[in-house]
Amino acid sequence: MTAPLLDVDGLATGYGDIRVVWDVSFQVFPGKVTALLGRNGSGKTTSLRAVAGLNPVRGGRIGYDGQRIDRMAAHKRVKAGISYVQEGKRVFRQQTVDDNLRLGGYSLGVRRSALDADCDRVYELFPVLREKRRHPAGSLSGGQQQMLAIGQAIMARPRLLMLDEPSGGLAPSIVAEVMSRVAALKESGLAILLVEQAVEAAVEVADHVTVLDIGKVTLSSPVDRIDDLDRLKDVCMGRV
Ligand code: ATP
């Protein structure tokens, strides 16, 4: 069996002394999507932030590519291939689409020709961004900005991509489009950790789901063993 790229084991984390996640475990494999589900405030974002190095690990361990990274600085995790797309489509609204992408690749310190090739790869994945490449990012629709935020993260050449609610605030047809791009990214071999409120959209693309409630895991299952979506939704809402 393939080794997980990300192996979170018994994670406890929070904000300063405030503990909001206790004993959370999940894994993400190359070419697979693990979805972290659960109602508002259940600790999904806090867990992602701990993997990104933005929240302290107070218990348990975070393994990445066979090494423990609990104490690695956030910028070193980016260099090691961990990219994090925060909730709310954080793009530089005044800058063009093309400049936003180039900024995403900036930390690599690669030559211009390599940046061009990386941009081309993003444009192949999101053709609508190529059409809008000279437009300010602020003029894009919500879905396009979400695609740009993902494109920006891909410019850092990640091996692990963490997406925090990419469906947030988008119409259902656009959510389906974004998820189809997430599926294409997993096909390319990326390991993807997806935080979602949109349970139906998440299970379309996920291989494994882990549900959190009040900072603890209430369900962990391969998607192909979930035969009752309504029950999964109930678990996600903390109703069972
Ligand atoms: P949502 O979908 O609403 O983002 P979530 O599952 O991602 O939910 P978190 O954002 O991880 O939940 O929040 C978990 C808990 O941590 C909540 O009780 C929240 O109030 C608390 N929290 C979030 N940010 C902070 C912060 N900066 N300082 C202190 N507590 C925080």
Side-chain angles (χ1 to χ4, degrees):
M1 194 177 155
T2 331
L5 183 62
L6 180 71
D7 188 2
V8 173
D9 185 19
L11 175 69
T13 183
Y15 299 85
D17 288 335
I18 306 169
R19 187 75 55 96
V20 296
V21 165
W22 293 265
D23 195 19
V24 163
S25 301
F26 55 85
Q27 298 178 320
V28 192
F29 291 84
K32 304 280 181 201
V33 174
T34 295
L36 272 190
L37 308 174
R39 56 183 163 171
N40 283 339
S42 56
K44 307 181 297 294
T45 298
T46 308
S47 301
L48 284 200
R49 288 177 54 87
V51 175
L54 303 173
N55 282 19
V57 174
R58 300 289 191 208
R61 61 190 295 283
I62 300 176
Y64 174 75
D65 199 16
Q67 295 193 0
R68 222 173 144 159
I69 59 161
D70 311 7
R71 294 181 186 278
M72 188 187 277
H75 70 277
K76 289 198 176 148
R77 297 189 202 197
V78 177
K79 273 210 174 337
I82 299 178
S83 262
Y84 171 34
V85 181
Q86 296 187 37
E87 196 177 351
K89 308 177 278 287
R90 289 162 196 251
V91 295
F92 299 101
R93 299 177 59 83
Q94 314 287 334
Q95 311 290 326
T96 64
V97 165
D98 208 62
D99 285 344
N100 265 277
L101 289 184
R102 281 164 202 281
L103 283 166
Y106 181 73
S107 67
L108 291 175
V110 297
R111 299 165 76 97
R112 198 193 159 107
S113 57
L115 267 187
D116 287 346
D118 286 352
C119 278
D120 269 344
R121 234 172 290 137
V122 173
Y123 288 140
E124 270 161 38
L125 189 66
F126 300 114
V128 67
L129 295 183
R130 193 194 296 276
E131 285 165 32
K132 306 260 178 180
R133 62 191 296 170
R134 309 261 172 252
H135 294 235
S139 70
L140 302 184
S141 70
Q144 291 164 351
Q145 286 190 32
Q146 184 62 66
M147 292 177 203
L148 179 56
I150 296 172
Q152 217 177 32
I154 294 166
M155 289 294 290
R157 299 184 186 170
R159 296 173 65 199
L160 172 68
L161 181 64
M162 300 195 290
L163 302 173
D164 197 347
E165 271 184 57
S167 77
L170 303 181
S173 62
I174 311 294
V175 172
E177 197 181 331
V178 171
M179 289 302 167
S180 83
R181 302 298 80 204
V182 173
L185 285 168
K186 92 165 175 172
E187 293 305 324
S188 78
L190 266 180
I192 299 176
L193 180 56
L194 172 70
V195 159
E196 262 305 337
Q197 295 274 353
V199 177
E200 259 163 78
V203 295
E204 282 295 312
V205 72
D207 299 281
H208 193 99
V209 293
T210 299
V211 181
L212 304 188
D213 196 19
I214 323 177
K216 293 192 172 133
V217 175
T218 53
L219 177 80
S220 172
S221 170
V223 166
D224 56 15
R225 284 212 211 122
I226 290 177
D227 46 20
D228 187 345
L229 194 60
D230 286 334
R231 187 175 155 77
L232 175 65
K233 285 184 187 166
D234 283 345
V235 174
C236 290
M237 293 315 292
R239 288 195 284 251
V240 282

